Amino acid sequence: MARVGTLLDDYGRPADRVQIIRRGKNNTRIKRSTNYGRSWAVEDELVPTGLILDDGGLRFEQHSNNPTHATYRANGIPKARLRVQRVYSTITKAQVYLGDTTWSEVEDFSTKDIVFDGGAGHGWNIPTWHEPIDTDTSLAVGELPREQGREVGERRQESTPVPVPATQVAVAPPAPAALILEASKVQRFSYLRVSSADQNLARQRAMIGDVNKEFIDEVSARSRADRPGLERCIDYLRDHDELHVASIDRLARSLVDLRFIIDAITAKGASVHFIKENLTFSEDSTDPRATLMLGILGSFAEFERTIIRERQAEGIALAKKAGKYKGRKRALSPKKVQEARRRAVAGESKVVIAKDLNVSRATLYRALKSD
């Protein structure tokens, strides 16, 4: 019986809620979730077993509820709640929860020691290895302030007071410049979409301007699940990042899908900017007029797409009536269908037949069922 699990990406972050069909030593056969987790994909796929958690989809649910939070573990023991800023293959930059809605400066953690569970593994407990900052700023004459801070997983020893001349003013050491830069730097990203590979992205790039990284889809405006570029984009975004899109219809043409995508972006602490419509949405956005405009423009985009489909269907019907429309070329010719039937009757595996004919199993099944 198929079970439900969590698919991780190469960094250990939950990527999808999946149905586990058959688990092997090296590879596991799964089906990804579709329709926002309400159903399963028709076709299955093989993924490395090490990327599958047989947890009923719990890790994916935890991460989805709070995608910017995680748990730092040392020797398998939860040590702290983290607010993740950037994830790399070996190092993750994150802040540590210190209690009372306070977070530390951005620090480096080993990515393999982080569990991306929305912070559920440690909760909101204060790290036991954290040494609270001394609020007493009074200094004796001739003493420098003691260093306050910590390193990952251990306390930093206090430095011994150093005598200085009485006329010298004691100044606390500044925070490392790299940490300040990392914490304050705003990354600009763009999402570009064209309906086919032969369309030009130059107009969208000109509207958006310079960015740190761009994500591209060369597909029609279908659901989010069918656009790998958009999935990578949303997964890549972090707190304070900016996503720039040329226009609303480049992101989605369904109002429901548009709202869902914007919510997914803002939930990660990022903001989305629509250049043509001059609209910006973020987690802190409270402008009711912007929300109203989003609904109106999104509805128009969806209406426009529906009209295009109706006209396309009418044109196809007229072309068929006139004998000018033959439809898309079949993946399997009648000769290949006969060959497939002969091999299937002989007891040969349909998986092997589909692979030899370079078609999917679904295509093969439809061809075998056709008259």
Side-chain angles (χ1 to χ4, degrees):
M1 181 178 178
R3 305 182 302 277
V4 176
T6 298
L7 172 65
L8 305 178
D9 65 11
D10 294 336
Y11 300 134
R13 295 171 297 186
D16 200 358
R17 181 172 176 265
V18 298
Q19 188 180 49
I20 303 173
I21 300 174
R22 185 169 60 253
R23 189 182 185 96
K25 181 179 179 181
N26 298 318
N27 296 303
T28 296
R29 188 169 296 279
I30 64 165
K31 285 187 176 181
R32 292 178 179 265
S33 61
T34 59
N35 197 21
Y36 310 121
R38 291 190 288 268
S39 59
W40 303 109
V42 176
E43 297 188 4
D44 51 50
E45 60 182 281
L46 280 176
V47 298
T49 298
L51 298 180
I52 296 295
L53 297 179
D54 194 351
D55 63 349
L58 176 62
R59 181 74 61 81
F60 179 75
E61 182 180 349
Q62 292 172 335
H63 179 70
S64 300
N65 290 336
N66 205 340
T68 60
H69 287 202
T71 299
Y72 167 66
R73 298 171 68 93
N75 298 322
I77 302 174
K79 291 292 185 179
R81 186 187 190 95
L82 303 181
R83 183 161 64 184
V84 179
Q85 302 294 330
R86 282 283 183 276
V87 180
Y88 303 100
S89 57
T90 57
I91 295 296
T92 291
K93 294 184 176 294
Q95 297 170 283
V96 179
Y97 179 69
L98 306 179
D100 194 25
T101 68
T102 303
W103 297 85
S104 72
E105 296 288 344
V106 177
E107 301 180 16
D108 289 349
F109 293 84
S110 175
T111 300
K112 65 181 179 61
D113 293 332
I114 295 179
V115 179
F116 297 92
D117 59 355
H122 192 265
W124 293 97
N125 300 317
I126 300 175
T128 56
W129 41 266
H130 167 64
E131 184 173 356
I133 297 176
D134 188 2
T135 56
D136 184 8
T137 57
S138 60
L139 296 172
V141 176
E143 286 188 351
L144 283 174
R146 294 180 177 181
E147 181 187 19
Q148 302 290 342
R150 52 174 174 70
E151 295 178 344
V152 176
E154 61 182 13
R155 295 187 180 183
R156 183 181 296 170
Q157 298 296 325
E158 291 186 349
S159 59
T160 305
V162 180
V164 295
T167 56
Q168 182 173 339
V169 179
V171 180
L179 292 183
I180 297 176
L181 178 63
E182 184 66 32
S184 61
K185 189 175 181 181
V186 175
Q187 297 283 314
R188 282 172 51 93
F189 304 104
S190 66
Y191 174 71
L192 314 173
R193 185 187 63 78
V194 290
S195 299
S196 59
D198 58 347
Q199 289 185 337
N200 200 330
L201 295 168
R203 183 183 64 85
Q204 296 181 53
R205 288 189 174 120
M207 292 177 66
I208 294 172
D210 295 334
V211 294
N212 297 99
K213 184 179 179 66
E214 62 180 29
F215 298 86
I216 301 173
D217 274 319
E218 294 179 346
V219 294
S220 60
R222 294 173 289 179
S223 67
R224 171 183 166 186
D226 297 322
R227 289 184 277 170
L230 180 60
E231 285 295 326
R232 289 194 301 270
C233 176
I234 295 176
D235 185 59
Y236 194 84
L237 292 173
R238 294 295 179 266
D239 201 18
H240 303 304
D241 286 346
E242 296 179 357
L243 177 63
H244 295 261
V245 186
S247 61
I248 287 178
D249 65 344
R250 296 299 89 192
L251 191 64
R253 286 191 178 175
S254 162
L255 182 58
V256 174
D257 201 28
L258 176 64
R259 187 71 261 179
F260 185 87
I261 293 172
I262 291 178
D263 288 344
I265 293 171
T266 56
K268 303 192 75 172
S271 59
V272 56
H273 304 256
F274 296 106
I275 308 301
K276 181 180 178 181
E277 294 81 8
N278 193 26
L279 292 175
T280 299
F281 296 91
S282 64
E283 193 175 22
D284 302 325
S285 177
T286 57
D287 187 356
R289 289 167 294 187
T291 304
L292 175 62
M293 286 300 297
L294 177 70
I296 294 174
L297 294 172
S299 297
F300 272 114
E302 186 174 1
F303 174 73
E304 179 187 13
R305 182 60 181 165
T306 303
I307 294 299
I308 291 174
R309 285 178 176 173
E310 287 182 357
R311 289 174 179 170
Q312 184 182 30
E314 290 172 358
I316 291 174
L318 291 173
K320 283 182 177 179
K321 191 174 181 180
K324 298 179 181 179
Y325 183 81
K326 298 181 180 180
R328 186 177 62 179
K329 183 180 179 181
R330 293 182 177 272
L332 292 175
S333 64
K335 184 177 179 180
K336 288 186 177 180
V337 173
Q338 290 180 1
E339 179 189 350
R341 283 188 178 136
R342 178 183 58 78
R343 294 171 63 179
V345 171
E348 193 170 347
S349 169
K350 292 183 177 64
V351 175
V352 175
I353 298 174
K355 186 176 181 180
D356 290 345
L357 296 176
N358 197 27
V359 295
S360 67
R361 284 184 296 169
T363 300
L364 177 63
Y365 290 147
R366 285 195 298 269
L368 294 176
K369 290 179 181 179
S370 63
D371 295 333

